[in-house]
Each structure stands twice: as structure tokens, then as C-alpha cells.
Amino acid sequence: MKTLIAAFALASAATAWAQNTPVGLWKTIDDDGKTEKSLVRITDGGGTLTGKIEKIFDAAKQDSKCDKCSDERKDKLVLGMIILRNLKLDADDNEAWSGGEILDPNNGKTYKARLKPIEGGKQLQMRGYMGPFFRTQVWLRVE
């Protein structure tokens, strides 16, 4: 019985930790707060987060390419594309990840990025910056 309780406590702690990290699968929501756009899987590679588009909900955009990108992603398929990269745990806010970038495949622009789990890890605040300007989206955890 003690082994079962210990295993449950360990699993609960692991689940709680997983919820306080951006690592996982996220449903991206457009700036309007309603339109589901894609699924992005965020992974951790040695303390650095990367996010890749796994699914695009708009059937008309399934084969779209990033024709406006200016880096190595130019003219590559958006589906399967890495749009988040080089994010690390923020030294000033150990609940946020920053220092990396996010790509908007619609306009080909990259922005400084900051990710922060909110609502107990059920949502992810994704903020993209360009100079003093920023825009924020809230993504929903799928897994």
C-alpha cells in the first residue's frame, strides 16, 4: 500500500511539474480569441525549448509555404515547421521562458518571444515582441 501511495504521489508531482512548463502540445488561437489555427508541440532539448507545427486546422492552408520567410524556412511547408526556437527559462521570472523567437509564417517575420504557463498550466501566454510593440495570444494545452 505504501508503494502505491508513493507512486501516486510521485506521478502527481510529475504531472504538476509538467503543467507548469510549456512542454507539450498546444492549440494555438488567433488574436480574435476564438479561431483555432494549429497544434504546436513544444519540446525541451537540454533546457532550450523548440516549437513545431503538427497540425493546421484550415484545410485550405494544409500545403501552404512560408514564401515571405527570409531565413532557411523560406518556401518550406508551414506544416512541420519549427516556429519557436531558443527559448530558455527566464532568469528573472522562473515561471517564464524567453530569449528566443517566434515566427509568424503568415508574414515571414520573427519576433522575440516569451512563454508563460497560466491557469495552472492549462493555458500558455505566448507573447511576441518587436521593439516596444507586442502581441499576446493564449494557447490551450492539448496534452
Side-chain angles (χ1 to χ4, degrees), residues 85-136:
R85 57 187 179 186
N86 301 321
L87 291 144
K88 296 183 179 179
L89 190 59
D90 192 312
D92 297 327
D93 181 353
N94 65 1
E95 295 179 4
W97 282 256
S98 61
E101 66 179 26
I102 185 164
L103 167 74
D104 182 343
N106 293 321
N107 63 21
K109 293 181 181 178
T110 56
Y111 304 89
K112 291 180 183 177
R114 182 175 187 270
L115 305 176
K116 185 170 186 173
I118 57 175
E119 300 294 324
K122 294 176 186 171
Q123 298 179 357
L124 183 66
Q125 182 183 68
M126 199 301 301
R127 183 167 286 174
Y129 296 88
M130 183 172 276
F133 305 102
F134 64 89
R135 86 182 204 209
T136 303

Side-chain angles (χ1 to χ4, degrees), residues 32 44 69 76 96:
D32 66 10
D44 184 341
C69 286
K76 303 286 189 218

Side-chain angles (χ1 to χ4, degrees), residues 8-21:
F8 179 75
L10 183 60
S12 295
T15 299
W17 181 84
Q19 296 299 316
N20 290 323
T21 173

Side-chain angles (χ1 to χ4, degrees), residues 11 37 42 49 62 70 79 88 93 97 116 132 135 137:
K37 295 181 74 173
I42 299 176
L49 301 184
Q62 291 297 314
S70 59
L79 185 61
K88 296 183 179 179
D93 181 353
W97 282 256
K116 185 170 186 173
R135 86 182 204 209
Q137 294 179 341

Side-chain angles (χ1 to χ4, degrees), residues 11-114:
S12 295
T15 299
W17 181 84
Q19 296 299 316
N20 290 323
T21 173
V23 173
L25 186 64
W26 298 92
K27 183 183 297 180
T28 67
I29 309 295
D30 202 1
D31 294 340
D32 66 10
K34 296 179 265 180
T35 307
E36 299 174 344
K37 295 181 74 173
S38 64
L39 293 179
V40 173
R41 180 166 308 274
I42 299 176
T43 57
D44 184 341
T48 302
L49 301 184
T50 302
K52 181 178 183 177
I53 297 176
E54 285 196 354
K55 180 176 183 175
I56 297 172
F57 291 114
D58 184 344
K61 294 185 177 183
Q62 291 297 314
D63 296 323
S64 63
K65 294 184 178 181
C66 193
D67 57 347
K68 295 179 182 174
C69 286
S70 59
D71 59 14
E72 75 281 358
R73 296 171 281 196
K74 181 165 182 58
D75 297 326
K76 303 286 189 218
L77 286 174
V78 174
L79 185 61
M81 182 174 283
I82 293 175
I83 61 164
L84 284 167
R85 57 187 179 186
N86 301 321
L87 291 144
K88 296 183 179 179
L89 190 59
D90 192 312
D92 297 327
D93 181 353
N94 65 1
E95 295 179 4
W97 282 256
S98 61
E101 66 179 26
I102 185 164
L103 167 74
D104 182 343
N106 293 321
N107 63 21
K109 293 181 181 178
T110 56
Y111 304 89
K112 291 180 183 177
R114 182 175 187 270

